């Protein structure tokens, strides 16, 4: 039956906020650039990993534009950022770290075309995650096209991965995750308590050393401390309405 069968009552008529999913066996977090996933859902991934969830990462672009240095060797930067992403994944998930994959599209030029969607479907069908996490592609007034396209790739990739007649040339068994969690959500409807995992999220973010200047606005230790405080305050603000010390919020889609 189609998920949007108009004969069925809406699954969640009042759009009530839900809290703290059961940790899944495996999760795949899809980000446009190295570091996006740590910003968007690092606390939740650390929490799930500690509960035994295998945490996989898929980074869509090479991150080669992530510098303010006009003379930068962008190939070297892309290689460095892959190393940083692997280190960030390890800091988040430890022994529960799954695969860290890279689509390698050029930073700033990501598209959600069929060829790229097929590459995402391949990863979903190979890794077979219970939950897929990604950018909310419908966040209003979002400027960066890579984030929008990466979000579309996560959502449309799940649609294609779950149905057997999409991309049969991949010769991979279709796979239907149980839920999608969109971070940077335009309309959050799900809250995760990450109070105990805030430090791990921050440590993972700080694995992205090449981004200290351009993203974290940090030139020295004092700036890095300020960055940690900014992120901590943000997560505290998100949790406060619910009496939670630190929260990450999402738009949950569990009618797949
Ligand atoms: Zn990004």
């Amino acid at each position: 039956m189609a998920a949007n069968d108009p004969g069925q009552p809406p699954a969640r008529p009042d759009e009530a906020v839900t809290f703290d999913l059961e940790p899944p066996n495996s999760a795949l977090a899809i980000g446009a650039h190295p570091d996006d996933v740590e910003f968007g859902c690092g606390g939740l991934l650390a929490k799930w990993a500690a509960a035994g969830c295998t945490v996989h990462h898929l980074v869509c672009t090479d991150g080669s534009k992530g510098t303010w240095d006009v003379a930068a060797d962008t190939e070297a930067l892309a290689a460095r950022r892959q190393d940083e992403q692997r280190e960030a994944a390890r800091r988040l998930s430890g022994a529960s770290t799954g695969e860290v994959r890279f689509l390698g599209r050029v930073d700033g030029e990501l598209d959600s075309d069929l060829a790229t969607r097929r590459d995402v479907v391949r990863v979903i069908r190979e890794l077979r995650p219970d939950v897929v996490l990604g950018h909310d592609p419908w966040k209003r007034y979002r400027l960066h096209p890579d984030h929008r396209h990466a979000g579309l790739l996560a959502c449309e990739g799940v649609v294609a991965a779950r149905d057997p007649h999409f991309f049969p040339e991949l010769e991979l068994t279709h796979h239907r995750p149980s839920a999608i969690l969109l971070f940077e959500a335009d309309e959050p409807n799900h809250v995760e308590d990450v109070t105990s995992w805030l430090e791990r999220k921050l440590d993972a973010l700080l694995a992205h050393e090449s981004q200290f200047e351009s993203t974290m606005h940090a030139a020295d230790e004092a700036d890095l401390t300020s960055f940690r405080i900014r992120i901590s305050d943000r997560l505290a603000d998100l949790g406060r309405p619910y009496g939670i010390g630190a929260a990450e919020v999402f738009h949950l889609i569990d009618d797949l």
Side-chain angles (χ1 to χ4, degrees):
M1 185 187 301
N4 58 354
D5 180 350
Q8 299 294 317
R12 194 179 290 129
D14 57 353
E15 282 295 311
V17 172
T18 55
F19 296 87
D20 297 330
L21 287 180
E22 259 320 288
N25 288 325
S26 63
L28 170 64
I30 300 176
H33 312 102
D35 79 11
D36 285 333
V37 157
E38 287 71 35
F39 275 109
C41 58
L44 175 56
L45 295 180
K47 179 167 80 167
W48 282 355
C53 172
T54 302
V55 175
H56 303 290
H57 292 249
L58 174 63
V59 180
C60 296
T61 74
D62 61 8
S64 57
K65 294 194 175 61
T67 177
W68 289 347
D69 176 5
V70 293
D73 175 344
T74 55
E75 237 174 77
L77 175 62
R80 180 181 180 191
R81 297 198 69 184
Q82 287 201 358
D83 288 342
E84 290 173 348
Q85 185 61 54
R86 291 188 195 94
E87 172 63 15
R90 195 192 60 73
R91 291 187 190 183
L92 276 186
S93 317
S96 286
T97 307
E99 295 195 26
V100 181
R101 297 219 190 165
F102 302 90
L103 287 189
R105 297 300 198 274
V106 175
D107 193 346
E109 299 177 17
L110 184 64
D111 203 347
S112 46
D113 54 13
L114 274 179
T116 313
R117 191 189 306 166
R118 182 189 294 113
D119 288 348
V120 172
V121 169
R122 179 185 289 114
V123 173
I124 293 172
R125 287 182 179 169
E126 287 178 349
L127 299 178
R128 313 187 76 71
D130 295 324
V131 176
V132 171
L133 305 98
H135 301 264
D136 182 347
W138 300 289
K139 184 179 176 62
R140 278 169 281 192
Y141 310 119
R142 176 197 284 291
L143 292 185
H144 204 308
D146 287 350
H147 293 164
R148 182 166 54 252
H149 286 298
L152 285 172
L153 286 164
C155 295
E156 294 170 354
V158 165
V159 171
R162 73 185 182 191
D163 290 336
H165 295 291
F166 286 83
F167 305 117
E169 70 276 17
L170 291 174
E171 298 184 340
L172 292 165
T173 308
H174 57 284
H175 172 71
R176 183 185 296 260
S178 60
I180 297 174
L181 280 174
L182 299 174
F183 48 82
E184 306 159 358
D186 200 63
E187 293 182 357
N189 64 358
H190 181 78
V191 177
E192 288 281 341
D193 183 346
V194 297
T195 310
S196 302
W197 310 103
L198 179 58
E199 285 304 312
R200 226 186 252 205
K201 175 187 175 95
L202 292 168
D203 287 346
L205 277 165
L206 294 180
H208 296 281
E209 293 182 7
S210 67
Q211 302 307 292
F212 282 2
E213 181 190 26
S214 60
T215 300
M216 284 81 167
H217 307 301
D220 55 30
E221 278 302 318
D223 291 341
L224 287 175
T225 301
S226 301
F227 169 74
R228 294 177 78 100
I229 291 170
R230 278 201 306 279
I231 298 291
S232 302
D233 286 351
R234 174 80 182 126
L235 269 56
D237 288 345
L238 290 171
R240 195 166 295 113
Y242 311 104
I244 294 171
E248 289 175 341
V249 303
F250 302 89
H251 191 91
L252 168 66
I253 303 171
D254 57 4
D255 185 14
L256 301 180

